[in-house]
């Protein structure tokens, strides 16, 4: 019965509870990657001190915040030495990818809104709201200063130097740029404008709108891009319109969705590509939510119904026609498939899909497939996250199994960070999954983590506190575990992320040479002014127009 129990518990999960678990996974994984993994260039504490209070910076000094994330690394947790629970630096592929770093910053900004709910409830958790926004600002300034070419376009680079800000040495991977990278950065800068109370936040908005204007001028160049590129572009514009409600971005979003449908239908046996079909459907369903255009919803429902029909519930795999004995799936394929099914279930009245098929898919494709190295532990009983309405009342306790299935190992027990591995294989003969390599790819993981946060954050908050931020007056007579001291704050945050010493982080130079803006031509270009620059001259403003 010890082994039968988890099976029945997983089948009792609802679609909403699966969203709850996936959000918890993404929230905690982003926290680990940003504050603890050291898998990237470490942020300058000198810069962060300018943005945070003394108490906030004292808490942050127990971690190793990243100013950017590397492309690859091995997620084995090193539990001894100078940086306990960081990753092996020798395993890092020190490429700084635009898309994964845009998703990292977007994740931090979105999660900062979640932690804002704890303002009058729990200081250490609310502190993450301020810390994440400060880190995001330094990241965005870093991207504009160091991840652009001479035309002002964002490009990926590689670090030939050390993993500290002041000793890094970035060089171009190549001269190529991606439109999707520009679109994702457009979203990140605009999102910062929305959540920030910084005096210069309008600069980030204006910079974002400059990127939007670039797309208006070169939309014709997108028609020949790949389906993958168009999927990312469409996702970015879905996000941007939901953030900004800019009419221009809505028109571009509709155009992109039309392009997406055309490219999907042109592709032979498109439904065989699980990731393409799922990503197209996710985009179309989100576009329907943003625009109300029913043709996008209808197309997505048709695609999703075809995808659902591929699932073999008896044997627990997606039956893509193939003569091979083993079917190879990427983590992107399996995760996007389940995410799309969760979204699809909101648009159809199908009790069997919601209550039986989706929980079975989640168990087989996400849990039993082992595409995750581990799953973060549920919050401690002393955390308000474990109680509905943050009440600390026993009657409102949220069961541990709602956060994490007991059958799945935690990072502490597995020794591996909670990330999606590259791929798995399913044996048609043995009816089981297997994988041969445990590795971290930021371009895949950050897309999935952010997509989950973006799509399911509101559902998570609705479940915990019905989407209502507690007011201060409601907390006056509430008994809350004592935590409003600097020492308690550090210990509280470290219950979910073990602290890492950052004494070796070196200080960065303050003065960064300002680049001159370039005249706009028919080729895509972005203004070279740094978005955080507070004193743009009239002369430079005229040049950039």
């Amino acid at each position: 019965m010890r082994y039968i129990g988890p099976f029945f518990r997983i089948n009792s999960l609802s679609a909403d509870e699966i969203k709850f678990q996936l959000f918890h996974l993404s929230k905690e994984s982003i926290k680990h990657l940003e504050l603890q993994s050291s898998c990237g260039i470490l942020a300058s504490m000198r810069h962060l001190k300018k943005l945070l209070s003394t108490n906030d910076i004292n808490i942050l000094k127990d971690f190793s915040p990243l100013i950017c994330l590397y492309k690859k690394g091995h997620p084995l947790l090193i539990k001894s030495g100078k940086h306990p629970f960081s990753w092996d630096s020798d395993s890092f592929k020190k490429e700084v990818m635009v898309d994964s770093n845009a998703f990292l910053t977007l994740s931090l900004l979105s999660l900062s809104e979640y932690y804002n709910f704890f303002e009058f409830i729990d200081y250490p958790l609310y502190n993450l709201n301020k810390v994440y926004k400060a880190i995001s600002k330094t990241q965005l300034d870093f991207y504009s200063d160091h991840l652009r070419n001479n035309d002002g376009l964002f490009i990926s680079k590689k670090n030939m130097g050390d993993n500290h800000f002041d000793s890094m040495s970035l060089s171009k991977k190549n001269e190529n740029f991606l439109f999707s990278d520009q679109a994702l950065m457009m979203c990140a800068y605009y999102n910062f404008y929305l959540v920030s109370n910084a005096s210069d936040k309008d600069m980030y908005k204006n910079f974002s709108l400059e990127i939007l204007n670039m797309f208006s001028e070169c939309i014709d160049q997108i028609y020949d891009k790949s389906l993958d590129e168009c999927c990312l572009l469409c996702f970015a514009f879905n996000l941007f319109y939901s953030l900004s409600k800019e009419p221009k971005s809505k028109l571009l979003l509709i155009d992109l969705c039309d392009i997406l449908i055309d490219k999907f239908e042109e592709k032979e046996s498109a439904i065989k590509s699980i990731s393409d079909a799922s990503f197209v459907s996710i985009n179309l369903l989100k576009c329907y939510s943003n625009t109300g255009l029913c043709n996008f919803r209808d197309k997505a429902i048709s695609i999703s119904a075809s995808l659902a029909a591929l699932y073999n519930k008896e044997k627990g795999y997606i039956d893509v026609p193939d003569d091979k004995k083993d079917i190879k799936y990427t983590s992107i394929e399996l995760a996007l498939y389940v995410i799309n099914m969760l979204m699809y279930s909101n648009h159809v009245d199908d009790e069997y899909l919601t209550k039986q098929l989706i929980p079975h898919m989640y168990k087989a494709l996400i849990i039993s497939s082992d595409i995750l190295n581990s799953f973060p532990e549920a919050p401690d009983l002393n955390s308000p996250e474990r109680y509905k309405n943050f009440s600390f009342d026993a009657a409102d306790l949220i069961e541990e199994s709602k956060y994490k299935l007991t059958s799945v190992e935690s990072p502490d027990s597995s020794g591996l960070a909670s990330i999606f591995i590259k791929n798995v294989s399913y044996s048609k003969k043995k009816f089981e999954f297997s994988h041969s390599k445990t590795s971290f790819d930021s371009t895949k993981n950050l897309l999935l983590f952010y997509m989950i946060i973006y799509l399911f954050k509101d559902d998570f908050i609705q479940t915990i506190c019905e989407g209502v931020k507690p007011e201060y007056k409601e907390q006056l007579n509430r008994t809350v575990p004592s935590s409003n001291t600097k020492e308690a704050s550090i210990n509280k945050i470290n219950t979910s992320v073990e602290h890492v010493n950052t004494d070796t982080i070196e200080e960065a130079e303050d003065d960064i040479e300002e680049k001159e803006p370039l005249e706009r031509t028919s080729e895509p270009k972005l203004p070279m002014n740094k978005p955080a620059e507070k004193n743009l001259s009239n002369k430079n403003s005229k040049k950039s127009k």
Side-chain angles (χ1 to χ4, degrees), residues 19-248:
K19 295 176 188 176
F20 191 94
Q21 287 196 358
L22 289 174
F23 178 83
H24 175 65
L25 162 72
S26 301
K27 170 172 64 74
E28 296 303 314
S29 295
I30 289 294
K31 186 189 297 182
H32 169 73
L33 286 169
E34 172 59 42
L35 298 180
Q36 191 175 24
S37 72
S38 298
C39 185
I41 298 175
L42 302 181
S44 165
M45 296 302 292
R46 184 178 181 181
H47 288 173
L48 289 171
K49 283 179 181 178
K50 299 175 182 178
L51 304 173
L52 293 166
S53 69
T54 301
N55 282 344
D56 297 334
I57 200 68
N58 282 339
I59 293 171
L60 190 58
K61 283 170 66 177
D62 288 291
F63 302 100
S64 300
L66 300 179
I67 201 165
C68 67
L69 183 68
Y70 287 146
K71 182 177 182 180
K72 292 184 179 180
H74 194 284
L76 179 68
L77 302 177
I78 300 175
K79 298 185 179 182
S80 62
K82 184 181 291 187
H83 299 286
F85 295 95
S86 63
W87 299 3
D88 180 9
S89 61
D90 291 337
S91 71
F92 297 161
K93 185 173 183 179
K94 297 166 67 170
E95 295 179 0
V96 182
M97 310 302 292
V98 174
D99 57 347
S100 56
N101 280 280
F103 281 130
L104 175 62
T105 303
L106 284 164
S107 297
L108 295 176
L109 291 169
S110 187
L111 290 173
S112 74
E113 295 178 290
Y114 165 72
Y115 288 114
N116 186 52
F117 275 77
F118 297 91
E119 182 175 5
F120 306 118
I121 298 294
D122 186 279
Y123 175 75
L125 289 174
Y126 176 65
N127 175 266
L128 287 174
N129 159 266
K130 295 179 284 184
V131 166
Y132 279 5
K133 285 191 288 189
I135 293 173
S136 297
K137 190 178 194 300
T138 62
Q139 289 176 343
L140 292 171
D141 293 345
F142 174 86
Y143 303 152
S144 63
D145 287 332
H146 299 287
L147 294 187
R148 295 202 285 167
N149 64 14
N150 292 333
D151 292 326
L153 295 163
F154 291 98
I155 59 171
S156 297
K157 295 189 177 182
K158 55 185 176 180
N159 182 20
M160 307 301 291
D162 198 13
N163 297 328
H164 297 103
F165 179 81
D166 69 330
S167 51
M168 66 180 183
S169 177
L170 296 178
S171 62
K172 297 177 184 178
K173 284 184 60 183
N174 52 57
E175 294 292 338
N176 297 333
F177 73 92
L178 295 173
F179 279 104
S180 59
D181 286 347
Q182 318 312 309
L184 290 170
M185 283 296 183
M186 173 181 70
C187 296
Y189 284 91
Y190 199 95
N191 201 352
F192 178 78
Y193 157 75
L194 290 179
V195 306
S196 175
N197 55 6
S199 60
D200 60 351
K201 69 176 188 176
D202 283 347
M203 292 293 179
Y204 296 81
K205 174 187 176 182
N206 295 337
F207 183 71
S208 175
L209 294 179
E210 285 284 351
I211 303 177
L212 178 64
N213 290 334
M214 180 200 75
F215 277 103
S216 298
E217 296 172 7
C218 61
I219 185 68
D220 291 344
Q221 297 184 39
I222 294 171
Y223 286 99
D224 63 346
K225 302 304 176 186
S226 68
L227 180 59
D228 287 344
E229 173 74 347
C230 288
C231 278
L232 280 171
L233 265 171
C234 198
F235 182 74
F237 270 86
N238 263 312
L239 169 60
F240 187 79
Y241 181 70
S242 67
L243 292 170
S244 69
K245 301 303 179 186
E246 282 282 334
K248 186 184 296 185

